[in-house]
Amino acid sequence: MAGSNPLSDLFGRSPIKPIQQHMQVANDAAQLLPVFLEAASRGDWPGASEAFNQIKAAEQEADKLKRSVRRHLPNSLFLPVSRNDLLELVTIQDHVANTAKDVTGLMLGRQMQFPEQLQQPLLELATTCAATCAQALAGIQELDELLEVGFTGGREVTRVEGLIRELEKLEGRTDKQAQKLRAHLFKLERELYPVDVMFYYQVIGLMTAMADAAERVGHRLQILMAK
């Protein structure tokens, strides 16, 4: 029996598949963020810990996929995009999984519960962040079709441009939600412990950074289509 080719097993006929798989795993981590926050808001730390462990596992899997792509992506792709462009795309995608782990790890380590008045707006922000990441995944899932049309012209490019516009709208919504959340937190600051306040702002900032990373995935797709 002929031995398997690790490079062929990883990439098959296209270098696109492992990049899509990487974004799928990163999105898996992002989708668990609202689950974690719901458990944390109830003080259900075993439930929050379970969600964190799943996020951590997804982040670790994303790291493995990232390393595999970096090691095995051929220098000569014979594609209308460069190797460096694809490697940059994977790096941006990786920020999604990393940030999901950072948010939940910070909150779990401190058993952090936001003030009751902020919990619903925080969950709404997390839900929109997760939707933004899912939209980025939807764009990455079109890479196969973009490859077939050479990343230029046609219905597929128009479709992906529409996905990116929706992605930008979702990321813009996270900015507005975060702004309102910070404004509400500012009004409560004098009633809260200063150290807690500092970490509340940090969590909000990390969540918006995750949505920003998802938006940058879309921007990278735009760059690929423009070349």
Side-chain angles (χ1 to χ4, degrees), residues 16 22 37 47 72 76 108 129 152 164 168 180-181 184 193 206 222:
I16 300 300
H22 179 268
L37 289 175
H72 300 297
S76 298
L108 182 63
C129 286
T152 58
I164 293 171
E168 291 172 342
K180 290 181 180 178
L181 189 54
H184 200 166
Y193 290 111
L206 285 169
Q222 285 180 317

Side-chain angles (χ1 to χ4, degrees), residues 192-212:
L192 305 170
Y193 290 111
V195 172
D196 289 343
V197 170
M198 178 184 70
F199 283 109
Y200 294 152
Y201 280 119
Q202 185 175 350
V203 166
I204 296 168
L206 285 169
M207 290 171 63
T208 57
M210 186 173 72
D212 182 66

Side-chain angles (χ1 to χ4, degrees), residues 19 127 167 185 199 218:
I19 294 172
T127 300
L167 172 59
L185 176 57
F199 283 109

Side-chain angles (χ1 to χ4, degrees), residues 5 10 25 31 37 49 55 57 62 64 66-67 69 72 88 93 130 191 205 219 223:
N5 184 329
L10 177 65
V25 173
Q31 298 309 309
L37 289 175
S49 181
I55 291 170
K64 290 179 183 178
K66 177 185 65 178
R67 289 193 293 269
V69 170
H72 300 297
E88 178 63 20
Q93 292 178 173
E191 305 171 21
H219 290 167
I223 291 172

